[in-house]
Amino acid sequence: MSRRPIISVHLPKSGGTSIRRCLETQFGERGLFDYGRGPLGPQAHLVETGLPEGVEMVHGHFRPARYDAVGEAFRMTFLREPTDLLLSFYFFWRKMPFEGQALHRRFLDEQPDIESFASWAPIRRLSSDTFFGGYDMARFDFIGFHETRHEDMARVNALAGLQLDSERHDNRTENDRAERQTMREDQALMGRLRDILADDVRFYESLRARRGA
């Protein structure tokens, strides 16, 4: 079991909310949940000098370099296939009430179609740049994938002494199922989205290949 502090990066719509609920139960006051200062906002590059005293785990929306000062930590994240992530993010933001995030305000005001949304600079390279740009992904002790969450959660539980429950699906995007399915079945649209998200697709596929998946 790892005795190192845990640094867990929550890439949006990649199962991180379910992980958060499990971590809240396991760590209680020993856990820090870093939200509201994420890579899609003005504090994206904020750096911390370490973890507060008594904190053994941090999880949230942040670039991994924020907690580099922690040093010998167990670093982990879960990724998701980019077009699937995009669809989930798009429909989630359509139903999500405004909570002060400027990019979400723009989304609600402009109501972009899926291709326009995919083309927005922070979204187009959400994984490869907005969250993980410039970071050596080999520094992560564990990279799991939304598509293989059951076996991956079992693996990280064993590696880091966690108690993640692969059956939990908190914050699942359930709205507009028919519209989303129609998009998925539109092969021309999905091909265009893959082209728009080409950098994220390469990033994701390279990490899947490194894992041998």
Side-chain angles (χ1 to χ4, degrees), residues 2-212:
S2 171
R3 297 296 181 184
R4 294 177 286 166
I6 292 170
I7 311 295
S8 174
V9 178
H10 176 182
L11 180 68
K13 307 311 299 175
S14 300
T17 301
S18 302
I19 293 171
R20 174 180 179 170
R21 301 299 181 229
C22 294
L23 294 174
E24 285 174 338
T25 299
Q26 181 174 353
F27 286 91
E29 293 183 355
R30 295 176 291 117
L32 172 65
F33 297 92
D34 188 350
Y35 288 88
R37 310 182 301 168
L40 292 173
Q43 294 181 296
H45 295 280
L46 181 69
V47 174
E48 297 289 354
T49 58
L51 295 177
E53 184 161 352
V55 169
E56 300 175 8
M57 180 282 306
V58 59
H59 173 80
H61 294 319
F62 51 83
R63 291 172 62 88
R66 175 170 295 173
Y67 291 98
D68 271 356
V70 176
E72 292 299 315
F74 183 94
R75 291 174 166 82
M76 59 176 280
T77 193
F78 276 75
L79 305 179
R80 186 172 184 174
E81 193 283 319
T83 56
D84 196 37
L85 186 158
L86 175 75
L87 290 176
S88 184
F89 204 165
Y90 180 75
F91 285 102
F92 177 70
W93 263 15
R94 287 213 321 199
K95 72 167 185 176
M96 177 182 171
F98 178 63
E99 296 178 347
Q101 215 266 18
L103 196 67
H104 187 218
R105 179 72 272 165
R106 177 188 171 192
F107 179 89
L108 295 173
D109 289 344
E110 296 183 14
Q111 299 184 37
D113 62 26
I114 190 70
E115 290 181 75
S116 297
F117 182 57
S119 298
W120 286 8
I123 303 301
R124 187 171 191 165
R125 298 178 179 88
L126 185 71
S127 301
S128 60
D129 184 40
T130 304
F131 268 77
F132 300 106
Y135 200 79
D136 180 5
M137 298 302 286
R139 295 190 61 194
F140 278 92
D141 297 271
F142 178 84
I143 298 175
F145 299 94
H146 185 74
E147 295 76 16
T148 53
R149 57 183 285 126
H150 289 272
E151 51 265 50
D152 287 351
M153 284 189 180
R155 284 201 309 129
V156 75
N157 284 347
L159 286 170
L162 298 179
Q163 299 169 11
L164 305 184
D165 179 1
S166 63
E167 300 302 323
R168 288 196 71 139
H169 291 276
D170 295 293
N171 211 28
R172 181 185 294 182
T173 304
E174 298 285 4
N175 59 313
D176 300 308
R177 280 188 179 184
E179 185 180 357
R180 203 176 346 169
Q181 186 60 31
T182 297
M183 287 184 181
R184 282 202 177 97
E185 293 172 355
D186 185 337
Q187 295 303 308
L189 171 63
M190 296 308 293
R192 293 195 300 272
L193 292 178
R194 281 183 64 84
D195 288 344
I196 294 169
L197 303 176
D199 288 337
D200 271 10
V201 170
R202 282 192 292 270
F203 176 79
Y204 173 85
E205 290 181 347
S206 70
L207 290 168
R208 286 298 298 260
R210 184 184 300 178
R211 218 277 291 278

